[in-house]
Amino acid sequence: MSKGHTRRVKIVATMGPACSSRRSIDALLRAGLDMARVNYSHADPAFVPQLVRRLRAAAVRAKRPLALLADLPGPKLRIGELEGDALELRAAGRVTLLIGRKSARGAGPNAIPVPQRLIGEALNAGDMLFLDDGLIRLKVERIEGNRALCKVIDGGILRSRKGITLAGTLDVPTVGPRDRIAIRQAVELGFDYIAASFVRSAQDVEHVRRLTRRAGRELPIIAKLERPEAIDNLQSIVDCADCVMVARGDLGVSLPIHQVPVLQKQIISVANAAGKPCITATQMLESMTVSPLPTRAEVSDVANAILDGTDAVMLSAETASGKYPLRAVKTMDAVTRYVEQELPGQAITRREATSSAGGAVGDAACEAAQRSGARWIVAFTRSGASARLISSLRPTTPICALTPDAQVRNSLALCWGVTPLTIDNIGRIDDVAQAASAALRTAGLARKKDVLVLVYGRELGTTGSTDTLVIHKV
């Protein structure tokens, strides 16, 4: 396995106490981090500006692009603060849910605060409750006012602020007050993507998009697929969103867990067919939160997501709060590189190009690069659209995107097979080939006599004008 191989599938890591120092961020970037996720379900908004400054500065030091993702809390329901911050629940034991309470302090043993009164209003004897992504299960035995007495079916260690889900659905708005605050801050701080949690329809995605516009800048929306309604409306959500995420944790709670592997393949397939990036997330290397090595099953899980056609793989607790965040990123990088090199035919599945002029040029570029043995397909792009289109075609040749826009460069860090670089504006068509050679040689990506397939528009600087393909030798 060669470290010189240009990795196609990208790595997303969640920031948290375990990896938010300057030193840790620098190490993660050296190890191959492509997108940093800020989870607003746990992040302190007062600390986020400082974290963003650290991330941007680290990317400058590393001389590589880094996309920033603001992951909205959404309507995920969580328990409040436990007495002592943790509670051991044993199978067949009893616990009491304190409906409308934010804290269990002073409430006695085996008390679990549930701040959201709507859960209490929906509860009935016999209902099943799932806590901590379904790891803990409770059965409601009886309800007494604002207290629900429950039997523990599956026990475990429960910690404060973990998720709680009622079997079935609750009519909860997709965007709440915390989401609006996060959206405003994400736009203000220059995040590159926003992830909309618990989307049910294309309308939910558009709602978040409108809120970003009102906050001052439209950001690309990643639709997190974690509810049964999202699966029912999969095609329309994929068509509307800029990217989708297979959020397997909550998906495996809201639907039978044995359905998740097939749903993952279906979601990735639909996203690939639509030319939309897809992130596969949750518990990919979960054991590395406490272990320096992953399980064999986890490594196979990552490999299978790559073979399914995912654009990116994501780490959650492994980097945010785990003991081995750097090792987790290095492991993800090693697995991805090996799969891509050893099973290239299976890891890369070409899709049909669109009928547009840009699609025709992109398709021709993929074919020309393969036939000519080109080192890179080089896309000159102002908006990033042409690079994303070529990425969606899954060429066997790596893609270099050249753009004068630093924000576009950062956003393209998520796209499969794309290495984005910033260049100055080009004034004349005659300078395109020379600019490409200079940019790639300066970045150490090309040498003299390397073949490049150049894709650009004759109307330089005009979005959507891609109409030209040139085969050029450095």
Side-chain angles (χ1 to χ4, degrees), residues 36-171:
R37 170 183 177 243
V38 175
N39 184 0
Y40 271 92
S41 292
H42 301 290
D44 177 4
F47 175 67
V48 173
Q50 181 180 345
L51 176 60
V52 168
R53 287 193 294 272
R54 288 180 185 176
L55 289 165
R56 293 300 191 202
V60 171
R61 288 193 295 271
K63 296 181 180 179
R64 57 173 297 171
L66 178 67
L68 300 189
L69 167 61
D71 196 334
L72 303 181
K76 182 161 184 173
L77 306 176
R78 297 178 181 276
I79 65 170
E81 299 297 324
L82 297 168
E83 186 80 55
D85 195 48
L87 178 64
E88 182 177 3
L89 303 180
R90 297 187 178 183
R94 263 65 179 181
V95 296
T96 302
L97 303 185
L98 307 176
I99 307 299
R101 289 273 297 266
K102 294 182 179 180
S103 172
R105 290 186 178 86
N110 296 335
I112 301 174
V114 180
Q116 303 85 3
R117 293 190 179 276
L118 62 90
I119 288 185
E121 294 168 0
L123 280 183
N124 293 293
D127 283 347
M128 297 296 298
L129 287 160
F130 304 90
L131 287 77
D132 194 5
D133 285 340
L135 297 177
I136 295 172
R137 288 195 304 155
L138 308 178
K139 183 175 182 179
V140 180
E141 293 190 321
R142 66 181 188 274
I143 299 170
E144 300 175 350
N146 289 329
R147 292 172 174 255
L149 284 71
C150 304
K151 180 180 179 180
V152 179
I153 305 300
D154 295 321
I157 302 296
L158 179 65
R159 301 191 182 279
S160 299
R161 299 283 305 151
K162 289 297 182 180
I164 179 170
T165 303
L166 174 64
T169 59
L170 290 172
D171 188 16

Side-chain angles (χ1 to χ4, degrees), residues 12 140 171 204 353 373 375 465:
V12 184
V140 180
D171 188 16
D204 289 338
R375 177 69 186 88
S465 66

Side-chain angles (χ1 to χ4, degrees), residues 414-450:
L414 176 65
C415 295
W416 185 98
V418 177
T419 299
L421 301 174
T422 48
I423 60 167
D424 294 331
N425 283 307
I426 300 172
R428 301 187 312 141
I429 287 291
D430 293 345
D431 295 335
V432 167
Q434 182 180 351
S437 296
L440 269 70
R441 292 190 72 174
T442 299
L445 300 179
R447 295 175 294 184
K448 190 174 181 181
K449 296 187 178 181
D450 278 348

